[in-house]
Amino acid sequence: MPEGTPRPFERQIHPGSGRRKAPLTPKGRQLDIEALAEVQALLGERPRRADLLIEHLHLIQDAHGHLSARHLRALAEEMNLPMAAVYEVASFYAHFDIVLDGEAPPPPLTIRVCESITCEMMGAQDLLQALPQEVGEQVRVVPAPCMGRCHCAPVAEVGHRHIDHATLENLSAAVQDDHHPVIPDYTDYDGYTAEGGYALLRACLAGKRTPEELVEALSHAGLRGLGGAGFPTGKKWEIVRGYLGPRLMTINGDEGEPGTFKDRHYLETDPHRFLEGALIAAWAVGCERCYIYMRDEYPAVLEILRREMAKLDAAGLTEHCPLELRRGAGAYICGEESAMIESIEGKRGLPRHRPPYIAEVGLFGKPTLNQNVETVYWVRDIVEKGAEWFAGHGRNGGKGLRSYSVSGRVKSPGVKLAPAGISVQELIEEFCDGMAEGHAFHAYLPGGASGGILPASMGDAPLEFGALDKFGCFVGSHAVVVLSDKDDVKAAALNLMRFFEDESCGQCTPCRNGTEKAVKLMREERWDVPLLEELAVVMRDASICGLGQAAPNPLSCVLKYFPEELK
């Protein structure tokens, strides 16, 4: 091509036009070398695998109190991920504070005040209103969803230290105190083994027990999944064993259902009974690795598990199935098993479409056994004491033992180990010392936020899987919240719908827009009943996962069982 001939499609800059070629500079956010060095120091020798993205984000957040844009860019470089991939994950989870260029970082200390139903009943909104003036500008005060301490409502978290029965006085004092979690007394490895712990696991590993023997025992005992679904445990083990390996196992410790705190209770008192059950389940099903997904709202549990899992590794009890602890980041949706798996893989916690089910195509595409904390907690006792011991408990057609998380207007709230199928009236009278002084039984939530609301006149219904279906309710994770004549059922339903609005992952329109629209309609003094009923049908029929499908349950129950309160 002769010299001076314009190249095809080349833009010509004419002399005297006043336009200059822009200097060639890299596009996008540039790498900060100092930030990269800080991220590298935090990660140390940890692997840079994509599934560890959330774990690495926690390291940065813990060290700096927030996630700056420069650190996110450095982490993307270090993990060989696109910046967009890192940002979309970090921005999905409520506990990550992203600070973009030009924005001020949050104050060095954050107080989270639980505003879920029991805490709101006990005065959480008054705390949220008054606390900012009490603690000053150097402390951030934010509302938060359920912290799994409903029997101690209202509850707040100062840094990582929980304050039960929170008041302005004890929260102001906590600001000046240590902000690390309080580790409760619990049975550690030495104490557990001294009482015969891990003898059953050792017998399994030595070939003295067979998987078929354990499956039969659990099936005969009637043990079911106690995270909410109630699927027979022995049957689930058989199904996952039927798929070709390699197989994996996950433990769903994301106990985010408002009103539920039973798993935290067992993990903070007798964690090795849970750990032994998990390792036995992994052995019986042939799982090569077990991932324990624990909610970030349980810092004491996370510390306990780190300590005790290290002792199991040292004792050689995890060689057949290494345990890996994964820390959630504030997303209720990750209590749904496929969303939890997405989170373990280092992604946003969006529920998967089914089929295939995770028993066939689960974590990292492999057949996966997913269990609730309490489910595996009972494995050792059932096998050692006999299936008849567990199955022999029950009332009103129920079978086995259940751990009911009871909160609200009762004298003695807490985790109540009671016969399956017990009624709420029996639970209040026999296990909770009756109603709180000055309160009359008016209504109850039989299964946490998504289980619906029933009137006291239906207080003799069995609290057992399937028994409440005909009422449009379910027992779920056995979280029972008791309301009195001094509580507003409409306000309770609105509180629950606000929770679902905040926690919707946003993946599907019926849930994302439906919860938002429902909140707006329910805030009106007079409810538009036909429109709310139509909205509930759409959410229930068209949402992808259980969050959107169950979100209308409290609303529908108010419309059906409390018509006098709509006037």
Side-chain angles (χ1 to χ4, degrees):
M1 181 180 294
E3 185 176 351
T5 302
R7 297 179 182 275
F9 309 111
E10 182 178 40
R11 186 182 67 176
Q12 299 303 301
I13 305 299
H14 298 286
S17 67
R19 299 172 65 186
R20 297 181 179 178
K21 287 185 177 180
L24 294 176
T25 57
K27 303 295 183 182
R29 188 177 301 278
Q30 300 309 298
L31 180 64
D32 184 314
I33 300 303
E34 182 179 348
L36 178 62
E38 291 170 349
V39 168
Q40 290 173 335
L42 284 172
L43 268 57
E45 298 300 318
R46 294 176 175 85
R48 270 57 168 173
R49 302 193 315 266
D51 63 287
L52 292 172
L53 173 57
I54 295 171
E55 295 295 306
H56 296 344
L57 288 169
H58 274 304
L59 289 173
I60 299 172
Q61 172 96 13
D62 290 345
H64 298 280
H66 62 278
L67 300 174
S68 67
R70 57 195 285 270
H71 284 126
L72 290 176
R73 173 67 183 86
L75 183 62
E77 177 73 17
E78 186 66 13
M79 297 187 70
N80 195 27
L81 292 171
M83 174 65 173
V86 174
Y87 181 82
E88 75 166 2
V89 171
S91 60
F92 180 84
Y93 296 93
H95 288 188
F96 291 139
D97 293 313
I98 299 176
V99 177
L100 301 179
D101 295 338
E103 295 180 347
L109 180 63
T110 294
I111 298 179
R112 290 182 167 87
V113 179
C114 176
E115 62 171 358
S116 286
I117 182 166
T118 308
C119 284
E120 185 166 288
M121 289 165 57
M122 303 298 179
Q125 292 302 328
D126 293 338
L127 275 178
L128 281 166
Q129 290 294 322
L131 194 56
Q133 292 75 30
E134 188 77 17
V135 297
E137 296 181 356
Q138 294 304 307
V139 179
R140 179 177 59 164
V141 178
V142 297
C146 187
M147 298 179 183
R149 310 180 75 86
C150 315
H151 58 309
C152 302
V155 176
E157 187 181 19
V158 181
H160 290 298
R161 179 180 289 253
H162 285 103
I163 305 298
D164 296 335
H165 305 293
T167 64
L168 290 177
E169 292 73 20
N170 61 24
L171 287 175
S172 297
V175 169
Q176 310 300 325
D177 205 348
D178 178 16
H179 304 143
H180 293 90
V182 176
I183 308 300
D185 292 332
Y186 65 92
T187 303
D188 64 4
Y189 175 77
D190 291 336
Y192 183 72
T193 53
E195 297 177 354
Y198 291 107
L200 177 58
L201 174 62
R202 294 180 188 277
C204 292
L205 297 175
K208 297 178 181 178
R209 300 274 190 167
T210 66
E212 293 77 13
E213 177 185 355
L214 267 62
V215 167
E216 182 180 355
L218 299 184
S219 299
H220 183 63
L223 181 64
R224 305 177 72 164
L226 298 173
F231 193 84
T233 302
K235 183 66 175 177
K236 179 182 283 191
W237 288 18
E238 285 185 318
I239 291 172
V240 180
R241 286 184 70 209
Y243 290 110
L244 293 176
R247 307 177 196 91
L248 298 174
M249 182 177 178
T250 53
I251 297 291
N252 194 336
D254 198 63
E255 188 180 44
E257 182 75 16
T260 311
F261 46 92
K262 62 183 179 62
D263 291 348
R264 180 190 59 78
H265 168 76
Y266 288 124
L267 291 168
E268 288 186 350
T269 56
D270 198 3
H272 282 282
R273 199 170 298 270
F274 151 71
L275 290 168
E276 182 173 14
L279 289 169
I280 289 171
W283 166 81
V285 178
C287 299
E288 298 186 356
R289 182 173 289 267
C290 176
Y291 295 79
I292 302 173
Y293 189 88
M294 190 56 54
R295 66 189 312 229
D296 197 32
E297 290 85 348
Y298 289 174
V301 171
L302 285 162
E303 178 58 29
I304 289 170
L305 289 177
R306 290 188 193 102
R307 294 179 184 178
E308 301 307 314
M309 286 165 57
K311 296 175 183 177
L312 292 182
D313 292 340
L317 292 172
T318 60
E319 292 179 0
H320 70 290
C321 180
L323 302 176
E324 191 164 330
L325 182 62
R326 292 298 179 91
R327 178 179 168 189
Y332 166 74
I333 191 64
C334 290
E336 196 276 337
E337 60 181 12
S338 66
M340 176 198 66
I341 282 175
E342 290 287 297
S343 189
I344 293 174
E345 292 180 355
K347 307 170 188 174
R348 295 181 296 166
L350 300 179
R352 296 177 179 177
H353 291 274
R354 295 178 292 183
Y357 294 90
I358 69 165
E360 180 182 6
V361 182
L363 185 61
F364 305 123
K366 299 175 181 178
T368 301
L369 173 68
N370 181 53
Q371 297 278 216
N372 168 257
V373 169
E374 191 196 356
T375 304
V376 295
Y377 178 90
W378 288 115
V379 168
R380 175 192 166 192
D381 283 344
I382 289 174
V383 176
E384 290 185 344
K385 296 179 181 180
E388 293 77 10
W389 164 80
F390 189 81
H393 297 85
R395 295 186 190 176
N396 307 313
K399 183 178 181 180
L401 289 167
R402 296 286 184 270
S403 302
Y404 295 92
S405 305
V406 186
S407 64
R409 309 296 190 180
V410 295
K411 282 184 181 177
S412 303
V415 175
K416 309 298 179 179
L417 186 60
I422 193 172
S423 71
V424 70
Q425 194 71 59
E426 294 169 327
L427 196 61
I428 293 171
E429 294 172 359
E430 298 177 31
F431 291 84
C432 301
D433 300 319
M435 294 293 294
E437 197 69 33
H439 291 267
F441 183 28
H442 178 55
Y444 67 105
L445 280 65
S450 54
I453 305 175
L454 291 173
S457 60
M458 299 172 66
D460 58 352
L463 295 173
E464 176 60 330
F465 294 113
L468 303 178
D469 293 356
K470 58 187 176 183
F471 305 126
C473 298
F474 55 80
V475 74
S477 58
H478 297 76
V480 178
V481 183
V482 180
L483 281 64
S484 79
D485 55 335
K486 293 180 171 57
D487 296 311
D488 184 342
V489 175
K490 283 177 63 179
L494 175 58
N495 174 283
L496 301 173
M497 190 61 75
R498 288 203 326 264
F499 169 79
F500 290 124
E501 178 191 20
D502 290 340
E503 295 297 336
S504 173
C505 73
Q507 180 178 192
C508 70
T509 302
C511 178
R512 180 184 65 247
N513 291 2
T515 52
E516 180 184 6
K517 182 65 174 178
V519 166
K520 289 180 180 178
L521 292 171
M522 294 167 71
R523 280 183 171 144
E524 298 293 329
E525 185 175 348
R526 294 188 66 85
W527 286 6
D528 186 335
V529 173
L531 184 56
L532 282 168
E533 288 177 335
E534 182 180 356
L535 183 60
V537 170
V538 172
M539 293 172 62
R540 189 173 289 115
D541 291 348
S543 295
I544 289 175
C545 80
L547 190 154
Q549 294 163 10
N553 286 348
L555 162 63
S556 298
C557 285
V558 173
L559 299 179
K560 184 176 182 180
Y561 300 115
F562 301 90
E564 70 282 356
E565 302 200 21
L566 300 176
K567 299 176 183 177

Short mmCIF file of all heavy atoms in Angstrom, two decimals, residues 130-176:
data_model
loop_
_atom_site.label_atom_id
_atom_site.label_comp_id
_atom_site.label_asym_id
_atom_site.label_seq_id
_atom_site.Cartn_x
_atom_site.Cartn_y
_atom_site.Cartn_z
N ALA A 130 -34.20 4.44 69.10
CA ALA A 130 -33.48 5.19 70.14
C ALA A 130 -31.98 4.95 70.17
O ALA A 130 -31.22 5.81 70.64
CB ALA A 130 -34.08 4.85 71.51
N LEU A 131 -31.53 3.81 69.68
CA LEU A 131 -30.13 3.42 69.84
C LEU A 131 -29.13 4.34 69.14
O LEU A 131 -28.07 4.63 69.71
CB LEU A 131 -29.95 1.98 69.39
CG LEU A 131 -28.65 1.28 69.77
CD1 LEU A 131 -28.43 1.31 71.27
CD2 LEU A 131 -28.66 -0.17 69.27
N PRO A 132 -29.38 4.81 67.92
CA PRO A 132 -28.37 5.67 67.26
C PRO A 132 -27.99 6.90 68.08
O PRO A 132 -26.80 7.26 68.15
CB PRO A 132 -29.06 6.07 65.94
CG PRO A 132 -30.00 4.94 65.66
CD PRO A 132 -30.51 4.52 67.01
N GLN A 133 -28.94 7.52 68.73
CA GLN A 133 -28.62 8.69 69.55
C GLN A 133 -27.85 8.29 70.81
O GLN A 133 -27.04 9.06 71.32
CB GLN A 133 -29.91 9.42 69.96
CG GLN A 133 -30.65 10.11 68.81
CD GLN A 133 -31.40 9.14 67.92
OE1 GLN A 133 -31.85 8.10 68.39
NE2 GLN A 133 -31.52 9.46 66.63
N GLU A 134 -28.10 7.07 71.27
CA GLU A 134 -27.45 6.61 72.49
C GLU A 134 -25.98 6.29 72.29
O GLU A 134 -25.14 6.56 73.16
CB GLU A 134 -28.19 5.37 73.01
CG GLU A 134 -27.75 4.89 74.37
CD GLU A 134 -28.31 5.75 75.49
OE1 GLU A 134 -29.27 6.51 75.27
OE2 GLU A 134 -27.77 5.65 76.61
N VAL A 135 -25.63 5.72 71.13
CA VAL A 135 -24.25 5.23 70.92
C VAL A 135 -23.40 6.18 70.09
O VAL A 135 -22.17 6.03 70.04
CB VAL A 135 -24.27 3.83 70.27
CG1 VAL A 135 -24.93 2.82 71.18
CG2 VAL A 135 -24.99 3.86 68.91
N GLY A 136 -24.00 7.15 69.41
CA GLY A 136 -23.22 8.14 68.68
C GLY A 136 -22.90 7.74 67.25
O GLY A 136 -23.20 6.63 66.79
N GLU A 137 -22.25 8.67 66.54
CA GLU A 137 -22.01 8.51 65.11
C GLU A 137 -20.93 7.49 64.78
O GLU A 137 -20.83 7.05 63.63
CB GLU A 137 -21.64 9.86 64.49
CG GLU A 137 -22.77 10.89 64.55
CD GLU A 137 -22.37 12.20 63.92
OE1 GLU A 137 -21.19 12.31 63.50
OE2 GLU A 137 -23.22 13.10 63.82
N GLN A 138 -20.09 7.15 65.73
CA GLN A 138 -19.01 6.21 65.46
C GLN A 138 -19.46 4.75 65.49
O GLN A 138 -18.65 3.84 65.31
CB GLN A 138 -17.87 6.40 66.47
CG GLN A 138 -17.17 7.74 66.34
CD GLN A 138 -16.64 7.96 64.93
OE1 GLN A 138 -15.90 7.13 64.40
NE2 GLN A 138 -17.00 9.08 64.32
N VAL A 139 -20.74 4.55 65.72
CA VAL A 139 -21.31 3.20 65.73
C VAL A 139 -22.48 3.17 64.75
O VAL A 139 -23.36 4.03 64.80
CB VAL A 139 -21.79 2.80 67.14
CG1 VAL A 139 -22.40 1.39 67.12
CG2 VAL A 139 -20.62 2.85 68.13
N ARG A 140 -22.48 2.20 63.87
CA ARG A 140 -23.57 2.04 62.93
C ARG A 140 -24.63 1.11 63.52
O ARG A 140 -24.30 0.05 64.03
CB ARG A 140 -23.05 1.48 61.60
CG ARG A 140 -24.12 1.25 60.55
CD ARG A 140 -23.53 0.75 59.24
NE ARG A 140 -22.80 -0.49 59.38
CZ ARG A 140 -22.46 -1.29 58.36
NH1 ARG A 140 -22.78 -0.94 57.12
NH2 ARG A 140 -21.80 -2.40 58.57
N VAL A 141 -25.88 1.51 63.44
CA VAL A 141 -27.00 0.70 63.92
C VAL A 141 -27.87 0.31 62.73
O VAL A 141 -28.34 1.19 61.99
CB VAL A 141 -27.84 1.47 64.96
CG1 VAL A 141 -29.03 0.61 65.41
CG2 VAL A 141 -26.99 1.86 66.16
N VAL A 142 -28.04 -0.98 62.52
CA VAL A 142 -28.82 -1.45 61.37
C VAL A 142 -29.79 -2.54 61.82
O VAL A 142 -29.50 -3.30 62.75
CB VAL A 142 -27.91 -2.00 60.25
CG1 VAL A 142 -27.00 -0.92 59.69
CG2 VAL A 142 -27.07 -3.17 60.75
N PRO A 143 -30.95 -2.63 61.17
CA PRO A 143 -31.86 -3.76 61.44
C PRO A 143 -31.31 -5.03 60.83
O PRO A 143 -30.58 -4.99 59.83
CB PRO A 143 -33.16 -3.32 60.78
CG PRO A 143 -32.75 -2.40 59.68
CD PRO A 143 -31.51 -1.69 60.18
N ALA A 144 -31.66 -6.16 61.40
CA ALA A 144 -31.14 -7.44 60.91
C ALA A 144 -32.22 -8.50 61.04
O ALA A 144 -33.12 -8.39 61.88
CB ALA A 144 -29.90 -7.85 61.71
N PRO A 145 -32.15 -9.54 60.21
CA PRO A 145 -33.10 -10.66 60.33
C PRO A 145 -32.75 -11.55 61.51
O PRO A 145 -31.78 -11.29 62.24
CB PRO A 145 -32.95 -11.39 59.00
CG PRO A 145 -31.54 -11.09 58.58
CD PRO A 145 -31.25 -9.71 59.07
N CYS A 146 -33.51 -12.61 61.68
CA CYS A 146 -33.42 -13.48 62.85
C CYS A 146 -31.99 -13.95 63.13
O CYS A 146 -31.27 -14.37 62.22
CB CYS A 146 -34.33 -14.69 62.66
SG CYS A 146 -34.46 -15.74 64.12
N MET A 147 -31.60 -13.87 64.39
CA MET A 147 -30.26 -14.28 64.82
C MET A 147 -30.26 -15.63 65.53
O MET A 147 -29.25 -16.05 66.07
CB MET A 147 -29.65 -13.22 65.73
CG MET A 147 -29.46 -11.88 65.04
SD MET A 147 -28.78 -10.64 66.17
CE MET A 147 -28.78 -9.20 65.08
N GLY A 148 -31.41 -16.30 65.55
CA GLY A 148 -31.46 -17.62 66.17
C GLY A 148 -31.35 -17.60 67.68
O GLY A 148 -30.85 -18.54 68.29
N ARG A 149 -31.86 -16.54 68.31
CA ARG A 149 -31.84 -16.44 69.77
C ARG A 149 -33.20 -15.92 70.25
O ARG A 149 -33.30 -15.12 71.20
CB ARG A 149 -30.72 -15.51 70.23
CG ARG A 149 -29.37 -15.82 69.62
CD ARG A 149 -28.29 -14.87 70.11
NE ARG A 149 -27.89 -15.16 71.47
CZ ARG A 149 -26.96 -16.05 71.82
NH1 ARG A 149 -26.35 -16.77 70.89
NH2 ARG A 149 -26.65 -16.24 73.08
N CYS A 150 -34.27 -16.39 69.60
CA CYS A 150 -35.61 -15.83 69.79
C CYS A 150 -36.11 -15.96 71.23
O CYS A 150 -36.94 -15.18 71.67
CB CYS A 150 -36.59 -16.51 68.84
SG CYS A 150 -35.96 -16.68 67.15
N HIS A 151 -35.62 -16.95 71.96
CA HIS A 151 -36.04 -17.12 73.35
C HIS A 151 -35.44 -16.07 74.26
O HIS A 151 -35.82 -15.98 75.44
CB HIS A 151 -35.64 -18.52 73.85
CG HIS A 151 -34.18 -18.80 73.78
ND1 HIS A 151 -33.45 -18.62 72.64
CD2 HIS A 151 -33.30 -19.26 74.72
CE1 HIS A 151 -32.19 -18.95 72.86
NE2 HIS A 151 -32.08 -19.33 74.12
N CYS A 152 -34.52 -15.25 73.74
CA CYS A 152 -33.88 -14.20 74.52
C CYS A 152 -34.21 -12.82 73.96
O CYS A 152 -33.48 -11.85 74.16
CB CYS A 152 -32.36 -14.37 74.52
SG CYS A 152 -31.79 -15.96 75.15
N ALA A 153 -35.32 -12.72 73.24
CA ALA A 153 -35.69 -11.48 72.56
C ALA A 153 -35.96 -10.34 73.55
O ALA A 153 -36.43 -10.59 74.66
CB ALA A 153 -36.92 -11.73 71.69
N PRO A 154 -35.63 -9.08 73.09
CA PRO A 154 -35.00 -8.72 71.82
C PRO A 154 -33.49 -8.96 71.88
O PRO A 154 -32.89 -8.90 72.95
CB PRO A 154 -35.32 -7.23 71.67
CG PRO A 154 -35.41 -6.74 73.08
CD PRO A 154 -36.00 -7.87 73.87
N VAL A 155 -32.92 -9.22 70.71
CA VAL A 155 -31.50 -9.58 70.62
C VAL A 155 -30.78 -8.62 69.68
O VAL A 155 -31.36 -8.16 68.70
CB VAL A 155 -31.35 -11.03 70.10
CG1 VAL A 155 -29.89 -11.39 69.89
CG2 VAL A 155 -32.01 -12.01 71.06
N ALA A 156 -29.54 -8.32 70.00
CA ALA A 156 -28.70 -7.51 69.12
C ALA A 156 -27.31 -8.12 69.07
O ALA A 156 -26.94 -8.93 69.93
CB ALA A 156 -28.64 -6.06 69.61
N GLU A 157 -26.56 -7.74 68.07
CA GLU A 157 -25.19 -8.23 67.91
C GLU A 157 -24.27 -7.01 67.81
O GLU A 157 -24.38 -6.21 66.89
CB GLU A 157 -25.06 -9.10 66.66
CG GLU A 157 -23.70 -9.78 66.53
CD GLU A 157 -23.60 -10.63 65.28
OE1 GLU A 157 -24.40 -10.41 64.35
OE2 GLU A 157 -22.70 -11.50 65.22
N VAL A 158 -23.38 -6.87 68.78
CA VAL A 158 -22.41 -5.78 68.81
C VAL A 158 -21.09 -6.33 68.29
O VAL A 158 -20.43 -7.10 68.97
CB VAL A 158 -22.25 -5.21 70.23
CG1 VAL A 158 -21.26 -4.05 70.23
CG2 VAL A 158 -23.59 -4.77 70.78
N GLY A 159 -20.72 -5.94 67.06
CA GLY A 159 -19.60 -6.61 66.42
C GLY A 159 -19.99 -8.05 66.19
O GLY A 159 -20.92 -8.34 65.43
N HIS A 160 -19.30 -8.98 66.87
CA HIS A 160 -19.67 -10.39 66.78
C HIS A 160 -20.13 -10.95 68.12
O HIS A 160 -20.19 -12.16 68.32
CB HIS A 160 -18.48 -11.21 66.27
CG HIS A 160 -18.16 -10.98 64.83
ND1 HIS A 160 -19.04 -11.26 63.82
CD2 HIS A 160 -17.06 -10.47 64.22
CE1 HIS A 160 -18.51 -10.95 62.64
NE2 HIS A 160 -17.31 -10.46 62.87
N ARG A 161 -20.48 -10.05 69.05
CA ARG A 161 -20.94 -10.48 70.38
C ARG A 161 -22.45 -10.26 70.49
O ARG A 161 -22.94 -9.14 70.30
CB ARG A 161 -20.22 -9.70 71.47
CG ARG A 161 -20.66 -10.06 72.89
CD ARG A 161 -19.89 -9.25 73.91
NE ARG A 161 -18.52 -9.70 73.98
CZ ARG A 161 -17.98 -10.42 74.97
NH1 ARG A 161 -18.73 -10.78 75.98
NH2 ARG A 161 -16.72 -10.77 74.97
N HIS A 162 -23.17 -11.32 70.79
CA HIS A 162 -24.61 -11.21 70.93
C HIS A 162 -24.98 -10.70 72.32
O HIS A 162 -24.38 -11.09 73.32
CB HIS A 162 -25.28 -12.56 70.69
CG HIS A 162 -25.34 -12.96 69.25
ND1 HIS A 162 -24.49 -13.89 68.70
CD2 HIS A 162 -26.12 -12.52 68.24
CE1 HIS A 162 -24.76 -14.02 67.40
NE2 HIS A 162 -25.74 -13.20 67.10
N ILE A 163 -25.99 -9.84 72.35
CA ILE A 163 -26.53 -9.32 73.60
C ILE A 163 -27.98 -9.78 73.69
O ILE A 163 -28.83 -9.36 72.90
CB ILE A 163 -26.45 -7.78 73.66
CG1 ILE A 163 -25.01 -7.30 73.43
CG2 ILE A 163 -27.00 -7.27 74.99
CD1 ILE A 163 -24.01 -7.79 74.46
N ASP A 164 -28.25 -10.67 74.63
CA ASP A 164 -29.61 -11.17 74.83
C ASP A 164 -30.40 -10.19 75.69
O ASP A 164 -29.83 -9.45 76.50
CB ASP A 164 -29.56 -12.54 75.49
CG ASP A 164 -28.90 -13.59 74.62
OD1 ASP A 164 -28.90 -13.43 73.39
OD2 ASP A 164 -28.37 -14.58 75.18
N HIS A 165 -31.73 -10.20 75.50
CA HIS A 165 -32.61 -9.28 76.24
C HIS A 165 -32.04 -7.86 76.16
O HIS A 165 -31.83 -7.19 77.18
CB HIS A 165 -32.76 -9.73 77.69
CG HIS A 165 -33.23 -11.15 77.85
ND1 HIS A 165 -34.48 -11.57 77.47
CD2 HIS A 165 -32.58 -12.26 78.31
CE1 HIS A 165 -34.61 -12.87 77.71
NE2 HIS A 165 -33.48 -13.32 78.22
N ALA A 166 -31.81 -7.44 74.95
CA ALA A 166 -31.11 -6.17 74.72
C ALA A 166 -31.91 -4.97 75.21
O ALA A 166 -33.13 -4.90 75.06
CB ALA A 166 -30.80 -6.02 73.23
N THR A 167 -31.18 -4.01 75.81
CA THR A 167 -31.73 -2.73 76.24
C THR A 167 -30.76 -1.64 75.83
O THR A 167 -29.61 -1.92 75.44
CB THR A 167 -31.92 -2.69 77.76
OG1 THR A 167 -30.62 -2.79 78.39
CG2 THR A 167 -32.80 -3.83 78.25
N LEU A 168 -31.19 -0.39 75.93
CA LEU A 168 -30.27 0.71 75.64
C LEU A 168 -29.07 0.66 76.57
O LEU A 168 -27.93 0.94 76.16
CB LEU A 168 -31.00 2.05 75.79
CG LEU A 168 -32.05 2.40 74.73
CD1 LEU A 168 -32.73 3.72 75.08
CD2 LEU A 168 -31.44 2.46 73.35
N GLU A 169 -29.30 0.29 77.81
CA GLU A 169 -28.22 0.29 78.80
C GLU A 169 -27.18 -0.80 78.51
O GLU A 169 -25.98 -0.53 78.46
CB GLU A 169 -28.79 0.10 80.21
CG GLU A 169 -29.61 1.26 80.71
CD GLU A 169 -30.98 1.38 80.05
OE1 GLU A 169 -31.46 0.35 79.49
OE2 GLU A 169 -31.57 2.47 80.08
N ASN A 170 -27.64 -2.05 78.30
CA ASN A 170 -26.62 -3.10 78.11
C ASN A 170 -25.97 -3.02 76.73
O ASN A 170 -24.83 -3.44 76.56
CB ASN A 170 -27.19 -4.50 78.40
CG ASN A 170 -28.34 -4.90 77.50
OD1 ASN A 170 -28.50 -4.38 76.39
ND2 ASN A 170 -29.16 -5.83 77.99
N LEU A 171 -26.64 -2.43 75.74
CA LEU A 171 -26.00 -2.25 74.44
C LEU A 171 -24.97 -1.13 74.50
O LEU A 171 -23.89 -1.23 73.90
CB LEU A 171 -27.05 -1.94 73.37
CG LEU A 171 -27.93 -3.12 72.94
CD1 LEU A 171 -29.01 -2.67 71.98
CD2 LEU A 171 -27.09 -4.21 72.29
N SER A 172 -25.27 -0.05 75.22
CA SER A 172 -24.28 1.03 75.38
C SER A 172 -23.04 0.53 76.10
O SER A 172 -21.91 0.88 75.74
CB SER A 172 -24.91 2.19 76.15
OG SER A 172 -25.99 2.75 75.44
N ALA A 173 -23.25 -0.33 77.10
CA ALA A 173 -22.10 -0.89 77.81
C ALA A 173 -21.31 -1.83 76.92
O ALA A 173 -20.07 -1.87 76.97
CB ALA A 173 -22.59 -1.64 79.06
N ALA A 174 -22.01 -2.59 76.06
CA ALA A 174 -21.34 -3.54 75.18
C ALA A 174 -20.45 -2.85 74.15
O ALA A 174 -19.47 -3.43 73.67
CB ALA A 174 -22.36 -4.42 74.49
N VAL A 175 -20.79 -1.62 73.79
CA VAL A 175 -19.97 -0.87 72.83
C VAL A 175 -18.55 -0.69 73.38
O VAL A 175 -17.57 -0.71 72.61
CB VAL A 175 -20.62 0.50 72.53
CG1 VAL A 175 -19.66 1.40 71.76
CG2 VAL A 175 -21.90 0.30 71.74
N GLN A 176 -18.43 -0.55 74.70
CA GLN A 176 -17.12 -0.35 75.32
C GLN A 176 -16.43 -1.66 75.65
O GLN A 176 -15.28 -1.67 76.08
CB GLN A 176 -17.29 0.46 76.62
CG GLN A 176 -18.12 1.72 76.48
CD GLN A 176 -17.54 2.70 75.48
OE1 GLN A 176 -16.31 2.81 75.36
NE2 GLN A 176 -18.41 3.40 74.75
#
